[in-house]
Amino acid sequence: MMNRLILTFVAACAAAGTMAQDGVEIRRNQVGCYPQQEKVIVVEGINPSGKVRVTMPDGKTTKPKKGARKAVSPWSGKTRYVVDLGDLTMPGRYVVSVGNEHCDVVVSDRPYADIAKASLRLFYLIRSGVTIDRGGAYNRPMGHPDTKVLVHNSAASALRPAGTVISSPFGWYDAGDYNKYVVNSAFSIGLMFAAYERQREYFNALSTDIPESDNSTPDLLNEMMFNLRWLLTMQDPEDGGVYHKLTTPRFEGFVMPADCHQPRYVVAKSVTATLDFAAVMADAARLFEPYQQDYPGFAATAAAVAERAYRWAKEHPTAFYRQEQLTDPAVSTGTYGDRSANDEFFWAASALYRLTGRQQYLEDALAFAPQRYSTPSWGYVASLGAFEWMEGSVKSEGVKSEGVKSEKYEDEEVKGKREELGKRMVEQLMTYCEEAVGAAASSCFQAPYGNNARDFGWGCLAERCCCQAFSLLFADQLLGSDRYRRYALANADYLLGRNATGYCYVTGFGDKSPLHPHHRISAADGIEAPFPGMLVGGPNPGQQDKHDIKATYPSAYPDESYIDDAESYASNEIAINWNASLVAFLCWLDALRDI
Ligand code: 9MR
Ligand code: 9MR
C-alpha cells in the first residue's frame, strides 16, 4: 500500500513537474546540489530567455543573471537551452518556473548522502544463499544455497571429475539474472576497493545497516567479504585455476530465488577470471589485514590464493572462456568473454607487487603496462592496475594512504622503476582527463559525458558516465586540486536527470526514475517499487534486445535509446559492476563536504 502511494506521488510529480502539454520540458538534477556548485537546468521546446523565475526557500523570487545558451543535439537536431540559475547557495527547496512549467531544485549540504548509501546497500539486498531479513518490505526467504554445485565437464580435473558436487555458497547475484560470474564479481569489488582506499574516513563512518554492522570492520569491507567468501570457493584447490562462473545452463524465468530449481554448475577455468581473482584477493589481503579480529586468517589466505592463481594464469595465458565449446549441458548464460588478458595481467601483477614486493611482479607489470588511460570496466581493468601505482608518485596533501607497502624491500634501481611507472600512469590519467572535459562547456547538457555516440551502449551510464567522473575525482585528489570537481558534478547532474530522456537513472530517487528494471526479484516480488539505489544500464542504440521485447524503443538516437521496460535487458538491466561504479562515484561525491 505504502509503495503504491509513493508511486502515485512520484507519477504525479513527474507529470506536474517536468512534462508540459505545450512541449516545454525542464531537465535538471532531481536529487540535489551542493550550495556552492553550479546550478544549471536545460530547457527544451521554448527559448526561456527572460522567462525563468526562481522562488527561493524563503519565498523571494529572483531571475538568472546570464542569458540562456543555445545548443543543438548532434543526433536528434533538437534545440536546447542551457540556463545557469546563478548562486543559489541557501540550502532548501527552490522552485524554478519557465513559463507555465515548474520544477524544484534542492540545495543541501549533503545532497548525495541518501543515494550514496542506497547504492552500497543494494549489495545487501542482492545477496544470494541467505535469508534477507533487514530489507524491510523486501525481506525474502533464502534461495540458491549453492551447497550442491556440479563440476561441469569443461571444469573437470583429476580430483574433481565431471559431476563432482562442490559447495560454493553466498556472493551477490550478478544482475537481473541469478548467476555468479568471477570476472564481474572481482572487478566490482576491485573498483569499490579503489574508492575505499582513497576515502577511508568516509567509509569508516558509513553504516549500511547490514548484519555485520556491529563489528569493527567498515561496512563497505563487510559487504565485499560476503562476495569474497564465495569467490574463494571458485578456485580449484588442485591447481589454483579459477572457474569462470557458477551458473544454470539457461537463464531462469522471472521467479523469486526460492523458486529456482535448475541445477547449477561451475564451468571452465579461464585466464581472465583467474587473474581478476588474483588481483582482488591481493587487494583484499592488504585491506583486511587490520581486521583480523572480525575475519581471522582471511588476509593470509587471500594472499596465498592470489599468488597461486597468478601462477596458474602464467601457465595458461591463452585459456580464454569459450562458451560455444561447452556441451552436455550447453550453457547460454552471460559470457563475460575476452580476447586479451594483458590488462588482467597488469592489474594482478600490480596488486601482487604492492602486496608482496616481489620483483617479478614489477617486471610483469612493466611488460603489460597500458599505453593510455581508459576508464575501468569489467572487460578492461588496466586502470585498476594503474591506480595501484599512482599513490606516492605525485606529491599531494590529499592522498592519505600507506602507499606501496613493498617499498621497504626495494633497492634504488627497483624503486626507480616503480616510481617511473607510477609517474607514467598519472600522466596518462591527466591526459585522459583533459580530453574528457574538453567538450563540456559547449555541450547540450553541459557535462563531459554524453557528447559522443560512443558514450552510449550496454552499461554506458556506469562504464562511461560514472567511471569518467570517478577518474576525474581521482585525478583531483592526486593533484591536490579541484580542477575536475565541477565536471564530475556535471556528470552527476546528467545521471540524475539533466539528460535527453529526463530520467533520473537510479531507482527510488528523483521524480522520474526507472520503475521496471530488468531485474528478476524486483519483477517477481509483488512489490511495485523496485529495490532502491539501482543504476540501470542506460541508453543503448545497439538495442540488442529489440526482438526479445514486446514494446518498441521510443527512439533510436544514441542518448534516447532507452526504455523503462522489464524485458529490456540491453537498456534497463541492473548489475553489480554498474552499481559498483555508482558507489565509487556517489560515495566520493558525498565525501566532498566543502562545496
Ligand atoms: O535475463 C537475461 C539478462 O540477465 C542478460 O543480460 C541478457 C543477455 O545475455 O539475457 C537475458 O535473458 C534473455 C535472453 O538472453 C533472451 N531471451 C529472453 C531472456 C530474458 O528476458
Ligand atoms: O555488461 C555486459 C555487457 O558489457 C555486454 O555487452 C553484455 C552482452 O554480452 O553482457 C553484459 O553483462 C551481462 C552478463 O553477461 C549477464 N548478466 C547480466 C549482465 C548485464 O547485462
Side-chain angles (χ1 to χ4, degrees):
M1 185 59 189
M2 172 123 142
N3 287 306
R4 196 156 304 141
L5 278 177
I6 293 171
L7 288 179
T8 315
F9 175 72
V10 163
C13 288
T18 53
M19 276 173 286
Q21 292 180 340
D22 54 5
V24 177
E25 296 190 29
I26 310 175
R27 300 285 158 78
R28 93 291 184 203
N29 179 329
Q30 297 165 23
V31 173
C33 308
Y34 277 108
Q36 303 297 338
Q37 84 175 84
E38 220 171 34
K39 317 244 171 7
V40 169
I41 60 166
V42 173
V43 179
E44 238 177 70
I46 184 181
N47 183 340
S49 296
K51 299 193 179 76
V52 182
R53 300 274 179 290
V54 181
T55 308
M56 322 254 284
D58 61 7
K60 291 185 188 138
T61 57
T62 170
K63 287 188 202 175
K65 292 190 186 65
K66 288 191 235 161
R69 173 172 69 78
K70 184 176 159 183
V72 178
S73 164
W75 302 297
S76 64
K78 287 179 188 165
T79 300
R80 297 184 173 124
Y81 295 89
V82 182
V83 182
D84 187 339
L85 298 176
D87 302 333
L88 310 180
T89 53
M90 187 194 308
R93 185 170 171 271
Y94 294 75
V95 177
V96 179
S97 310
V98 182
N100 295 325
E101 276 316 287
H102 313 282
C103 70
D104 62 358
V105 169
V106 175
V107 176
S108 151
D109 293 329
R110 293 268 318 260
Y112 298 110
D114 292 345
I115 194 171
K117 185 168 170 166
S119 68
L120 178 56
R121 194 163 198 280
L122 185 268
F123 289 87
Y124 167 71
L125 294 174
I126 60 167
R127 287 184 182 190
S128 81
V130 285
T131 303
I132 298 300
D133 55 13
R134 291 189 176 229
Y138 301 106
N139 283 346
R140 63 166 195 273
M142 190 250 258
H144 302 99
D146 286 341
T147 46
K148 291 181 181 147
V149 173
L150 297 164
V151 175
H152 188 267
N153 58 60
S154 59
S157 57
L159 296 178
R160 289 184 168 184
T164 303
V165 176
I166 66 166
S167 181
S168 188
F170 311 129
W172 309 309
Y173 295 120
D174 183 60
D177 64 317
Y178 289 133
N179 302 306
K180 304 191 290 196
Y181 306 81
V182 168
V183 164
N184 206 35
S185 275
F187 167 75
S188 301
I189 300 173
L191 181 56
M192 288 187 276
F193 275 168
Y196 165 75
E197 285 200 64
R198 279 86 195 172
Q199 293 296 346
R200 289 201 190 209
E201 256 173 67
Y202 174 82
F203 283 111
N204 287 344
L206 180 66
S207 167
T208 48
D209 184 24
I210 54 179
E212 301 81 6
S213 286
D214 290 336
N215 70 13
S216 49
T217 305
D219 273 356
L220 180 130
L221 292 186
N222 282 325
E223 193 58 61
M224 301 305 110
M225 182 58 82
F226 191 80
N227 206 37
L228 287 163
R229 275 158 76 197
W230 164 67
L231 274 177
L232 283 176
T233 69
M234 290 297 280
Q235 185 174 42
D236 183 347
E238 192 176 328
D239 62 5
V242 178
Y243 307 120
H244 195 69
K245 60 177 171 174
L246 188 164
T247 185
T248 49
R250 293 183 307 148
F251 285 116
E252 291 283 359
F254 272 62
V255 297
M256 290 297 280
D259 300 325
C260 292
H261 304 294
Q262 279 194 61
R264 310 236 302 166
Y265 292 84
V266 289
V267 302
K269 294 166 209 165
S270 75
V271 62
T272 49
T274 302
L275 286 168
D276 287 340
F277 171 99
V280 86
M281 287 297 170
D283 282 344
R286 202 164 42 75
L287 296 173
F288 275 93
E289 210 199 37
Y291 302 104
Q292 305 273 359
Q293 209 189 328
D294 292 326
Y295 299 108
F298 175 78
T301 301
V305 299
E307 291 209 87
R308 265 199 100 198
Y310 191 83
R311 281 198 295 278
W312 186 92
K314 291 278 277 192
E315 286 158 17
H316 302 82
T318 57
F320 293 106
Y321 181 63
R322 304 283 297 276
Q323 181 146 291
E324 70 282 6
Q325 294 179 349
L326 269 51
T327 55
D328 198 19
V331 173
S332 61
T333 54
T335 50
Y336 290 114
D338 214 326
R339 267 168 277 158
S340 162
N342 289 353
D343 51 310
E344 286 82 4
F345 267 112
F346 180 65
W347 180 27
S350 302
L352 278 162
Y353 182 72
R354 198 162 167 204
L355 177 71
T356 68
R358 277 191 238 293
Q359 203 182 335
Q360 185 56 47
Y361 294 128
L362 174 60
E363 300 302 338
D364 285 4
L366 287 166
F368 289 111
Q371 298 303 309
R372 53 191 192 80
Y373 180 83
S374 294
T375 51
S377 66
W378 68 260
Y380 194 70
V381 297
S383 51
L384 295 185
F387 298 156
E388 309 272 7
W389 304 99
M390 287 184 187
E391 261 141 308
S393 52
V394 171
K395 289 260 171 295
S396 153
E397 287 170 22
V399 183
K400 292 188 206 82
S401 102
E402 69 249 41
V404 180
K405 224 175 156 188
S406 46
E407 269 173 44
K408 56 177 181 274
Y409 309 109
E410 292 173 341
D411 61 27
E412 282 306 307
E413 192 197 333
V414 173
K415 182 174 176 221
K417 283 186 186 175
R418 173 182 49 84
E419 286 181 345
E420 192 281 323
L421 180 56
K423 210 164 142 259
R424 195 156 26 112
M425 293 302 104
V426 172
E427 280 164 11
Q428 290 181 6
L429 174 64
M430 298 309 160
T431 305
Y432 164 82
C433 290
E434 278 308 293
E435 280 171 19
V437 302
S442 58
S443 69
C444 278
F445 297 101
Q446 201 145 309
Y449 171 76
N451 306 311
N452 190 309
R454 281 189 314 243
D455 284 351
F456 301 96
W458 204 316
C460 60
L461 294 174
E463 294 178 14
R464 310 259 158 222
C465 182
C466 291
C467 285
Q468 177 178 73
F470 175 73
S471 305
L472 294 169
L473 292 167
F474 201 117
D476 261 350
Q477 194 188 58
L478 288 170
L479 292 171
S481 78
D482 55 11
R483 173 166 172 69
Y484 297 118
R485 176 186 286 181
R486 54 195 285 251
Y487 297 106
L489 286 162
N491 274 11
D493 292 340
Y494 189 103
L495 193 72
L496 305 176
R498 197 172 80 208
N499 60 53
T501 64
Y503 273 96
C504 167
Y505 287 112
V506 179
T507 57
F509 289 85
D511 45 41
K512 183 185 174 189
S513 64
L515 297 173
H516 311 288
H518 184 85
H519 178 234
R520 281 167 171 71
I521 302 176
S522 290
D525 64 5
I527 300 170
E528 284 195 60
F531 286 180
M534 299 193 293
L535 172 63
V536 296
N540 175 5
Q543 301 186 357
Q544 292 87 341
D545 51 3
K546 69 176 169 212
H547 300 301
D548 284 336
I549 65 179
K550 288 181 269 314
T552 308
Y553 274 82
S555 167
Y557 301 128
D559 57 346
E560 297 182 43
S561 190
Y562 167 76
I563 183 165
D564 180 21
D565 185 308
E567 290 186 312
S568 178
Y569 52 83
S571 81
N572 208 31
E573 191 163 357
I574 66 107
I576 54 173
N577 54 323
W578 302 342
N579 253 74
S581 312
L582 191 68
V583 167
F585 176 28
L586 294 186
C587 288
W588 196 310
L589 276 193
D590 186 36
L592 304 170
R593 295 288 161 75
D594 52 341
I595 19 174

